[in-house]
Amino acid sequence: MEGFDESEYGGGHSTLYLTASCVGHEAFMACPNIDRVDLIGENQEIDRGAFYGCTGLKTLVVGTGVKSIGDEAFAGCENLVKVEIEAPVPPVLGEDVFEGIHPDVEFIIDEYLDVEVMIAYANSDWAKYFDVLSTTVVS
């Protein structure tokens, strides 16, 4: 598939580095062997259910080019325990994007993003899913 690079591919879990501008509807739905997803494309849109039910997914990195994440894109990813944010503007979220993820998920905002960015996330739909004001700031 064009637009992503699978490293660590084999019998175990995989890390996906997605560079495509659009990750299609249900593109990786219920894929149990994805361990980590790095969204690093420009003007990236993640469609509805793109990673729905990926039970092996533990880490999600939201890169600077992510513009929107569709309905239920990461719903049912019950082992998602870490969401790293690089996007300086909160991507628009659809409905139930992170429903059913791990209840103790760690939400990390990268060091180059300032307090205003944290406030933007706290005042956006992201606050439905994450306790943004008590985030860990990477230094």
Side-chain angles (χ1 to χ4, degrees), residues 47-65:
D47 280 350
R48 177 184 183 92
F51 296 92
Y52 184 94
C54 289
T55 56
L57 183 61
K58 295 178 183 166
T59 302
L60 169 65
V61 178
V62 178
T64 59

Side-chain angles (χ1 to χ4, degrees), residues 14-26:
S14 296
T15 298
L16 296 180
Y17 298 97
L18 294 163
T19 60
S21 61
C22 182
V23 178
H25 176 78
E26 299 177 355

